[in-house]
């Protein structure tokens, strides 16, 4: 079918050329510079010679990831020279600023050919017209298909049903725990499938036992001096949206109407507010600014995050006097609906995108295809920070992501927690589909603002007003985006 469509396209272009008319390749209409598609060699093999410039976040985990991909890529394509550019500070702003500069100077060669993205960057980068539509190349490339890629990962990597980011991993939020803390107070470890009630009861019992414990962490500090038990950024969209959804709350309905101001929303926010007030969970501010820090410093018992942070949690850093958490366990996040509805868990993907006016389109496409190849996925998995995006590797007991854990952490490490009830994976795309792309970031900011302000209010009347105010701002943002 792809070959037939390509043949029809080429015939149409020839007819228009002969009659003196001009036609732009449909793959270059909209996002993507004219000529990019035409310059992709879809038959390029391992002998292809070229160059590629890739930008990535400068964290240790991202450095591990990109080095793994590039090393395995160069085994397959030894004649493509890859330049890696680490980007610190405000990553998205720095990449977008260079793209704008390259466009204004008409010097596309100054922009990165490929750059790392997280799912929450896709919409803003799309709006800035710097992403090439990968779905259009996929349609023409008979040697590639996305059928083995986790559907949810493809969904968060797309805009208007067109793929703009190649997803590299499947990220489902889990609950890490420090076994040493539970062992110190003779508490059983958390388990997959905990209900909300069981989760709160566990925190209550853990806090009670720790309060009288004389046990110390690796720094010589008493566990009883912990400021909180749960280290988490609840305002992170992969946390706040599943929490709201578990309580039956909605943001925008299928008619595009804001329905955020509801009793269900209030119940969800009140639940987490109670965790903070009882000293079970960290403050909103601490969660936003330093999520995971206290857990890694052995000063919290639990941490909500994804597999991508695993080696960072484990790693000791003598220069920073960080010991890490070696005796680590992991389970699925609790069912915050308390069994009253389906199980929902925040999930998604990060990946790499192609610059809309890249001067090295063949090399870029070869690299993007490589990251979702078995070789690329296995290489990334060997860093320890990957849950594969390929469905065939998720349950393969011999897949590198599972064997790495067994060899590094122990055979009892619960890899299945990272794909527990995978069908319950949920993302902001649930409601993004009902609002304009231009309003999505604003709506997400309103949810963050509502949570932050709700928790800060001593009066329930004022707290409820925070939800109303956020809903009103959402409505305004959507109306403005619609023009």
């Amino acid at each position: 079918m792809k070959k037939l469509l390509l043949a029809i396209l080429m015939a149409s272009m020839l007819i228009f050329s002969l009659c003196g008319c001009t036609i732009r390749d449909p793959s270059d209409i909209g996002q993507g510079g004219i000529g990019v598609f035409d310059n992709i060699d879809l038959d390029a093999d391992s002998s292809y010679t070229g160059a590629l410039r890739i930008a990535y976040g400068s964290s240790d985990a991202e450095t591990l990831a990109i080095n793994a991909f590039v090393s395995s890529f160069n085994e397959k394509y030894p004649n493509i020279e890859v330049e890696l550019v680490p980007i610190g500070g405000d990553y998205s702003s720095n990449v977008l600023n260079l793209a704008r500069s390259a466009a204004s100077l008409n010097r596309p060669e100054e922009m990165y050919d490929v750059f790392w993205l997280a799912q929450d960057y896709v919409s803003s980068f799309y709006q800035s017209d710097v992403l090439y539509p990968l779905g259009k190349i996929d349609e023409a490339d008979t040697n590639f298909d996305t059928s083995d890629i986790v559907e949810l990962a493809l969904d968060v990597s797309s805009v208007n049903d067109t793929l703009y980011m190649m997803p590299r991993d499947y990220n489902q939020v889990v609950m890490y725990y420090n076994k040493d803390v539970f062992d110190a107070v003779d508490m059983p470890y958390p388990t997959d499938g905990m209900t909300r009630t069981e989760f709160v009861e566990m925190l209550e019992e853990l806090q009670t036992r720790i309060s009288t414990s004389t046990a110390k962490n690796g720094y010589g500090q008493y566990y009883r001096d912990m400021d909180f038990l749960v280290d988490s950024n609840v305002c992170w969209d992969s946390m706040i949206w599943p929490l709201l959804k578990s309580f039956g709350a909605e943001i925008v309905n299928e008619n595009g109407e804001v329905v955020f101001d509801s009793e269900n929303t209030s119940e969800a926010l009140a639940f987490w507010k109670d965790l903070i007030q009882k000293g079970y969970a960290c403050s909103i501010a601490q969660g936003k600014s330093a999520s995971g820090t206290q857990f890694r410093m052995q000063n919290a018992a639990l941490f909500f995050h994804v597999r991508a942070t695993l080696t960072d949690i484990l790693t000791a850093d003598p220069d920073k006097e960080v010991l890490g958490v070696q005796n680590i366990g992991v389970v699925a996040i609790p069912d915050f609906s308390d069994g009253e509805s389906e199980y929902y868990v925040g999930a998604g993907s990060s990946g790499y995108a192609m610059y809309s006016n890249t001067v090295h389109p063949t090399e870029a496409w070869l690299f993007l295809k490589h990251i979702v190849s078995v070789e690329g996925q296995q290489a990334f998995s060997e860093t320890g920070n990957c849950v594969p995006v390929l469905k065939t590797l998720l349950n393969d007991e011999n897949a590198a992501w599972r064997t790495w854990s067994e060899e590094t952490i122990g055979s009892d490490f619960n890899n299945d927690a990272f794909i527990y009830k995978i069908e319950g994976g949920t993302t902001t795309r649930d409601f993004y589909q009902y609002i304009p792309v231009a309003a999505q970031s604003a709506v997400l900011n309103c949810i963050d603002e509502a949570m932050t302000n709700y928790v800060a209010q001593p009066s329930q009347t004022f707290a409820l007003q925070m939800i109303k105010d956020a809903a009103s701002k959402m409505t305004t943002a959507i109306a403005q985006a619609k023009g």
Side-chain angles (χ1 to χ4, degrees):
M1 178 60 73
K2 289 181 179 179
K3 288 182 176 178
L4 176 61
L5 291 173
L6 188 57
I8 293 172
L9 173 62
M10 296 302 293
S12 299
M13 293 177 68
L14 177 60
I15 291 170
F16 272 80
S17 176
L18 291 174
C19 71
C21 303
T22 58
I23 183 170
R24 182 192 295 186
D25 188 320
S27 297
D28 286 327
I29 294 175
Q31 296 223 353
I34 299 173
V36 169
F37 182 83
D38 291 335
N39 289 325
I40 297 178
D41 181 357
L42 296 177
D43 295 317
D45 58 21
S46 59
S47 66
Y48 191 87
T49 300
L52 186 61
R53 194 163 176 246
I54 304 175
Y56 66 99
S58 59
S59 69
D60 291 342
E62 286 305 318
T63 301
L64 281 173
I66 194 61
N67 283 335
F69 279 127
V70 171
S71 178
S72 58
F73 175 72
N74 278 149
E75 288 181 12
K76 190 185 301 185
Y77 301 102
N79 299 318
I80 296 178
E81 184 176 345
V82 180
E83 177 189 357
L84 294 178
V85 184
I87 306 295
D90 187 340
Y91 177 87
S92 62
S93 294
N94 288 336
V95 173
L96 285 174
N97 286 339
L98 183 60
R100 294 187 184 105
S101 174
S104 65
L105 297 172
N106 194 26
R107 293 180 58 83
E109 67 275 9
E110 294 189 0
M111 177 56 182
Y112 318 110
D113 302 297
V114 168
F115 43 90
W116 171 83
L117 282 183
Q119 66 188 56
D120 49 339
Y121 290 162
V122 174
S123 292
S124 61
F125 273 65
Y126 169 84
Q127 287 180 271
S128 298
D129 200 32
V130 298
L131 302 180
Y132 194 87
L134 304 180
K136 296 178 179 180
I137 311 175
D138 172 32
E139 282 297 316
D141 192 341
T142 58
N143 299 311
F144 178 74
D145 71 76
T146 59
S147 60
D148 193 34
I149 299 176
V150 173
E151 286 81 1
L152 183 144
L154 290 171
D155 183 48
V156 299
S157 304
S158 303
V159 179
N160 298 329
D161 297 322
T162 296
L163 186 68
Y164 281 94
M165 177 182 80
M166 190 68 80
R168 70 178 190 186
D169 46 14
Y170 174 69
N171 293 323
Q172 181 168 305
V173 180
V174 294
M175 184 167 71
Y176 291 106
Y177 61 93
N178 187 335
K179 289 183 176 181
D180 288 338
V181 177
F182 286 83
D183 290 344
V185 294
D186 197 26
M187 275 273 291
Y189 300 143
T191 59
D192 292 336
M194 294 180 72
T195 64
R196 180 175 78 231
T197 298
E198 291 169 339
F199 174 64
V200 173
E201 288 174 348
M202 178 193 71
L203 294 178
E204 182 179 8
E205 179 66 17
L206 185 59
Q207 187 183 67
T208 298
R209 295 194 187 193
I210 285 177
S211 66
T212 58
S213 172
T214 58
K216 298 179 180 180
N217 63 19
Y219 299 90
Q221 301 166 332
Y222 290 107
Y223 285 127
R224 66 182 181 226
D225 291 335
M226 286 182 179
D227 292 328
F228 50 82
L229 302 175
V230 180
D231 193 345
S232 173
N233 177 12
V234 69
C235 291
W236 177 31
D237 61 298
S238 292
M239 277 294 296
I240 188 64
W241 168 234
L243 176 65
L244 289 165
K245 192 173 182 180
S246 295
F247 278 80
E250 296 180 86
I251 311 299
V252 179
N253 64 21
E254 59 185 8
N255 297 318
E257 301 164 333
V258 175
V259 290
F260 182 67
D261 181 12
S262 69
E263 183 177 344
N264 301 88
T265 296
S266 178
E267 289 177 355
L269 302 190
F271 165 69
W272 204 268
K273 178 178 181 178
D274 188 56
L275 295 185
I276 294 174
Q277 290 181 332
K278 289 180 177 177
Y280 296 161
C282 68
S283 68
I284 296 294
Q286 185 144 20
K288 287 182 180 181
S289 64
S291 176
T293 300
Q294 292 306 307
F295 181 74
R296 191 174 176 227
M297 297 289 289
Q298 303 180 12
N299 203 31
L302 303 140
F303 177 43
F304 288 97
H305 219 281
V306 295
R307 177 80 175 220
T309 63
L310 182 54
T311 59
D312 182 61
I313 294 170
L314 293 169
T315 302
D317 188 343
D319 292 337
K320 298 179 181 178
E321 298 183 348
V322 173
L323 299 177
V325 179
Q326 272 70 51
N327 198 11
I328 193 170
V330 63
V331 294
I333 68 167
D335 178 3
F336 289 122
S337 79
D338 225 11
E340 295 180 3
S341 70
E342 297 179 28
Y343 176 80
Y344 297 115
V345 55
S349 187
S350 61
Y352 299 92
M354 181 191 297
Y355 175 45
S356 55
N357 291 299
T358 176
V359 295
H360 298 114
T362 297
E363 298 94 316
W365 179 237
L366 289 174
F367 178 78
L368 294 177
K369 288 198 296 182
H370 175 71
I371 71 170
V372 290
S373 67
V374 171
E375 302 96 321
Q377 288 286 288
Q378 290 284 66
F380 183 21
S381 294
E382 288 172 359
T383 67
N385 287 336
C386 174
V387 176
V389 77
L390 296 182
K391 290 179 282 189
T392 51
L393 293 178
L394 290 179
N395 294 301
D396 183 350
E397 292 300 323
N398 296 314
W401 75 286
R402 289 178 177 272
T403 57
W404 182 93
S405 302
E406 294 171 2
E407 295 169 1
T408 307
I409 304 174
S411 59
D412 63 337
F413 189 71
N414 182 17
N415 284 300
D416 288 332
F418 298 94
I419 55 173
Y420 178 81
K421 293 189 175 181
I422 191 172
E423 67 278 4
T426 188
T427 76
T428 51
R429 301 289 168 142
D430 291 343
F431 56 89
Y432 273 7
Q433 62 183 309
Y434 303 129
I435 60 179
V437 172
Q440 291 171 2
S441 294
V443 169
L444 197 60
N445 288 338
C446 288
I447 300 173
D448 180 321
E449 184 178 298
M451 182 68 186
T452 303
N453 292 338
Y454 186 98
V455 170
Q457 299 304 317
S459 162
Q460 181 64 4
T461 300
F462 288 146
L464 292 174
Q465 186 60 47
M466 298 301 100
I467 297 175
K468 293 182 182 295
D469 290 347
S472 178
K473 290 181 180 179
M474 290 179 190
T475 300
T476 299
I478 293 171
Q480 289 176 344
K482 290 180 177 179

